[in-house]
Amino acid sequence: MSKKFKIATLSVHGENRKPKAYHAVSTPIVQTSNYYFDKSSDVADFMKLKAEGKVLREHEYGRYGNPTQEECERKLSAIEGAEKAILFSSGMSAVILTILTFVRKDGHIIFTNDCYRQTRDFAVNFLPKFGIEFSLVEPNSNAISKEIKDNTNIIFTELPTNPYLRVIDINSVVETAKKHNLTTIIDATMATPYNIKPIELGIDIVIHSATKYLGGHNDLLAGVVLGRQELINELYKTQRMIGSIADPFTCFLLERGLKTFAIRMEHHNQAGMKVAKMLESHPKIEKVWYPGLRSHPDHHLAVKQMKGFGSVVTFLIKGGYKETCKFIDSLKLFIITPSLGGSESLVTQMATMSFFDYPEHYRKAIGMTDNLVRIALGLEDSDDLINDLSQALDKI
Ligand code: PLP
């Protein structure tokens, strides 16, 4: 199939459709740990092709991949506009194994701050153990440029960030990286390929937690890394050693979720904008962060680079811990849990849910006050969600 198709079509068919076992329309779950050969000469032929690098995903052993995974990767690379995709068992295994694959001995990695908490913890708590230096900088290319050293080889960014939904100027990051011959990696989980295409803008590697919008139903864990064939081949060598593959059933669920990806994203974008506007005008709300609002510090960059802004909205309740808990506990439709991008709407009080174990002074320094709330809208009717938020705010 050709690249002229839009995301909704690519999410259903991908490109270069392949025949399916038993002529099944949906992709069968191939639940096996290993794959047999008919005769010894087939083994020899297969190994020869493998040694010449002519087969990437060989069906030989489960740790090296599975056919359901391959089908999912084919669709994901078509949606992203990438040469190749590789699936992992979670977003975090995708993040960490990508960094471990491309990091250099005695190297230095620049991360933009306000990135996903576990990514930051990996930088702070793990990289120094291997003699790898890191810097955490503001999400802009000036701050990045200032930190570049002789041993820097990776810039790792996120877009939009969590929870403040900061949006970096990708063009200027790419320009800086090219000048210094650095590899650029972006975690675009919160944007998704529906709202931004970092590879078209010159980024080398894109990562998504497929647990979120790509899977879309709060029922699976997976991560995907996309980029040029030569880069993904390197990453594949790491996965062959370590595993951390997305299992066949997870891939089945993910592929099923992808079929409605574009329709869901359209709903998420509209609901996010509507709810963000309502919250911003509400007398019991102190401040709202949503890239689609003019008041967001990166609104101009978001509008320039993104098609829509998703369904995560972060805000401050007027009040403290007590008022915030009262609001959250009064919600009828929103479920108290982390995560985002699924069918059910979720609510998180950031300080207690995601940052509870940080010392209070550090939480305050990064803005994690008791009245900071993040909501991730699901697929419910957005008027029902607005009514639910209003009635809960009235309870304060
Ligand atoms: N990156 C971002 C931006 C996330 O929000 C998350 C999870 O919330 C992850 C990575 C990790 O993904 P997973 O939970 O699939 O490991």
CSV table of all heavy atoms in Angstrom, one decimal, residues 89-93 95 116 119 158 160 162 187 189-190 209-212 221-223 339-340 374, ligand 1:
chain,number,residue,atom,x,y,z
A,89,SER,N,8.1,-5.0,25.9
A,89,SER,CA,7.1,-5.4,26.8
A,89,SER,C,6.5,-4.2,27.6
A,89,SER,O,5.4,-4.3,28.2
A,89,SER,CB,7.6,-6.4,27.8
A,89,SER,OG,8.8,-5.8,28.4
A,90,SER,N,7.1,-3.0,27.6
A,90,SER,CA,6.6,-1.8,28.2
A,90,SER,C,7.2,-0.6,27.6
A,90,SER,O,8.3,-0.7,27.0
A,90,SER,CB,6.8,-1.9,29.7
A,90,SER,OG,8.2,-1.7,30.0
A,91,GLY,N,6.7,0.6,27.9
A,91,GLY,CA,7.3,1.8,27.5
A,91,GLY,C,8.7,2.0,28.1
A,91,GLY,O,9.6,2.4,27.4
A,92,MET,N,8.8,1.6,29.4
A,92,MET,CA,10.0,1.8,30.1
A,92,MET,C,11.1,0.9,29.6
A,92,MET,O,12.3,1.2,29.5
A,92,MET,CB,9.9,1.7,31.6
A,92,MET,CG,9.4,3.0,32.3
A,92,MET,SD,10.2,4.5,31.6
A,92,MET,CE,11.9,4.3,32.1
A,93,SER,N,10.7,-0.4,29.2
A,93,SER,CA,11.8,-1.2,28.6
A,93,SER,C,12.2,-0.7,27.3
A,93,SER,O,13.4,-0.7,26.9
A,93,SER,CB,11.4,-2.7,28.6
A,93,SER,OG,10.3,-2.9,27.8
A,95,VAL,N,12.4,2.6,26.5
A,95,VAL,CA,13.2,3.7,26.8
A,95,VAL,C,14.6,3.3,27.3
A,95,VAL,O,15.6,3.7,26.7
A,95,VAL,CB,12.6,4.6,28.0
A,95,VAL,CG1,13.5,5.6,28.6
A,95,VAL,CG2,11.3,5.3,27.4
A,116,TYR,N,9.2,11.9,32.0
A,116,TYR,CA,8.6,10.9,32.8
A,116,TYR,C,9.4,10.5,33.9
A,116,TYR,O,10.6,10.3,33.8
A,116,TYR,CB,8.2,9.6,31.8
A,116,TYR,CG,7.5,8.5,32.6
A,116,TYR,CD1,6.3,8.8,33.2
A,116,TYR,CD2,8.0,7.3,32.6
A,116,TYR,CE1,5.7,7.8,33.9
A,116,TYR,CE2,7.4,6.2,33.3
A,116,TYR,CZ,6.2,6.5,33.9
A,116,TYR,OH,5.6,5.5,34.6
A,119,THR,N,12.0,7.7,33.7
A,119,THR,CA,13.1,8.0,32.8
A,119,THR,C,14.1,8.8,33.6
A,119,THR,O,15.3,8.6,33.5
A,119,THR,CB,12.6,8.7,31.6
A,119,THR,OG1,11.6,7.9,31.0
A,119,THR,CG2,13.7,9.0,30.6
A,158,GLU,N,11.2,14.7,25.5
A,158,GLU,CA,9.9,14.2,25.6
A,158,GLU,C,8.9,15.2,25.1
A,158,GLU,O,9.2,16.4,25.2
A,158,GLU,CB,9.6,13.9,27.1
A,158,GLU,CG,8.6,12.7,27.3
A,158,GLU,CD,8.5,12.4,28.8
A,158,GLU,OE1,9.5,11.9,29.3
A,158,GLU,OE2,7.4,12.7,29.3
A,160,PRO,N,4.4,16.0,24.5
A,160,PRO,CA,4.6,17.0,25.5
A,160,PRO,C,5.1,16.3,26.8
A,160,PRO,O,4.9,15.1,26.9
A,160,PRO,CB,3.2,17.6,25.7
A,160,PRO,CG,2.3,17.0,24.7
A,160,PRO,CD,3.0,15.8,24.1
A,162,ASN,N,5.3,15.6,31.0
A,162,ASN,CA,4.4,15.2,32.0
A,162,ASN,C,4.8,15.7,33.3
A,162,ASN,O,5.9,15.5,33.7
A,162,ASN,CB,4.4,13.7,32.0
A,162,ASN,CG,3.4,13.1,32.9
A,162,ASN,OD1,2.5,13.7,33.4
A,162,ASN,ND2,3.7,11.8,33.3
A,187,ASP,N,10.6,10.8,23.3
A,187,ASP,CA,9.5,10.0,23.8
A,187,ASP,C,8.2,10.8,23.5
A,187,ASP,O,8.0,11.9,24.2
A,187,ASP,CB,9.6,9.8,25.4
A,187,ASP,CG,8.5,9.0,26.0
A,187,ASP,OD1,7.4,9.0,25.4
A,187,ASP,OD2,8.6,8.5,27.1
A,189,THR,N,5.1,9.8,23.6
A,189,THR,CA,3.9,9.0,24.1
A,189,THR,C,2.7,9.9,24.2
A,189,THR,O,1.6,9.6,23.7
A,189,THR,CB,4.2,8.5,25.5
A,189,THR,OG1,5.3,7.6,25.4
A,189,THR,CG2,3.0,7.8,26.1
A,190,MET,N,2.9,11.1,24.8
A,190,MET,CA,1.7,12.0,25.0
A,190,MET,C,1.2,12.6,23.8
A,190,MET,O,0.0,13.1,23.8
A,190,MET,CB,2.1,13.1,26.1
A,190,MET,CG,2.7,12.5,27.3
A,190,MET,SD,1.4,12.2,28.6
A,190,MET,CE,1.4,13.8,29.3
A,209,SER,N,5.1,4.8,24.7
A,209,SER,CA,4.5,3.8,25.6
A,209,SER,C,3.2,3.5,24.9
A,209,SER,O,2.3,4.3,24.9
A,209,SER,CB,4.3,4.4,27.0
A,209,SER,OG,3.4,3.5,27.7
A,210,ALA,N,3.2,2.3,24.3
A,210,ALA,CA,1.9,1.8,23.6
A,210,ALA,C,0.8,1.5,24.6
A,210,ALA,O,-0.3,1.2,24.2
A,210,ALA,CB,2.3,0.7,22.7
A,211,THR,N,1.2,1.5,25.9
A,211,THR,CA,0.2,1.2,27.0
A,211,THR,C,-0.8,2.3,26.9
A,211,THR,O,-2.0,2.1,27.4
A,211,THR,CB,1.0,1.4,28.3
A,211,THR,OG1,2.2,0.5,28.3
A,211,THR,CG2,0.1,0.9,29.5
A,212,LYS,N,-0.5,3.5,26.4
A,212,LYS,CA,-1.4,4.7,26.5
A,212,LYS,C,-2.3,4.7,25.2
A,212,LYS,O,-3.0,3.8,25.0
A,212,LYS,CB,-0.5,5.9,26.6
A,212,LYS,CG,0.7,5.8,27.6
A,212,LYS,CD,0.2,5.6,29.0
A,212,LYS,CE,1.4,5.5,29.9
A,212,LYS,NZ,1.2,4.9,31.2
A,221,LEU,N,0.2,-3.5,28.4
A,221,LEU,CA,1.5,-2.8,28.6
A,221,LEU,C,2.4,-3.1,27.4
A,221,LEU,O,2.6,-4.3,27.1
A,221,LEU,CB,2.2,-3.3,29.9
A,221,LEU,CG,1.9,-2.7,31.2
A,221,LEU,CD1,2.6,-3.5,32.3
A,221,LEU,CD2,2.4,-1.2,31.3
A,222,ALA,N,2.9,-2.1,26.8
A,222,ALA,CA,3.8,-2.3,25.7
A,222,ALA,C,4.5,-1.0,25.4
A,222,ALA,O,4.1,0.1,25.8
A,222,ALA,CB,3.1,-2.8,24.4
A,223,GLY,N,5.7,-1.1,24.7
A,223,GLY,CA,6.4,0.1,24.2
A,223,GLY,C,6.9,-0.1,22.8
A,223,GLY,O,7.1,-1.3,22.4
A,339,SER,N,-1.7,6.8,34.6
A,339,SER,CA,-1.8,6.4,33.2
A,339,SER,C,-2.7,7.4,32.5
A,339,SER,O,-3.3,8.3,33.1
A,339,SER,CB,-2.3,4.9,33.0
A,339,SER,OG,-1.8,4.5,31.8
A,340,LEU,N,-2.9,7.1,31.2
A,340,LEU,CA,-3.6,8.0,30.3
A,340,LEU,C,-3.8,7.3,29.0
A,340,LEU,O,-3.2,6.3,28.7
A,340,LEU,CB,-2.7,9.3,30.1
A,340,LEU,CG,-1.3,9.1,29.4
A,340,LEU,CD1,-1.3,9.5,28.0
A,340,LEU,CD2,-0.3,9.8,30.3
A,374,ARG,N,-3.9,15.9,37.7
A,374,ARG,CA,-3.8,15.6,36.3
A,374,ARG,C,-5.0,14.7,35.9
A,374,ARG,O,-5.2,13.7,36.6
A,374,ARG,CB,-2.5,14.9,35.9
A,374,ARG,CG,-2.3,14.8,34.4
A,374,ARG,CD,-1.1,13.9,34.1
A,374,ARG,NE,-1.5,12.5,34.3
A,374,ARG,CZ,-0.6,11.5,34.1
A,374,ARG,NH1,0.7,11.7,33.8
A,374,ARG,NH2,-1.0,10.2,34.3
B,1,PLP,N1,6.9,7.6,28.8
B,1,PLP,C1,5.8,8.4,29.2
B,1,PLP,C2,5.7,9.8,28.6
B,1,PLP,C3,4.9,7.9,30.0
B,1,PLP,O1,3.8,8.6,30.4
B,1,PLP,C4,5.0,6.5,30.5
B,1,PLP,C5,4.1,5.9,31.4
B,1,PLP,O2,3.2,6.6,32.0
B,1,PLP,C6,6.1,5.8,30.1
B,1,PLP,C7,7.0,6.3,29.2
B,1,PLP,C8,6.3,4.4,30.5
B,1,PLP,O3,5.5,3.5,29.8
B,1,PLP,P1,5.1,2.1,30.4
B,1,PLP,O4,4.2,2.3,31.6
B,1,PLP,O5,4.4,1.4,29.3
B,1,PLP,O6,6.3,1.4,30.8
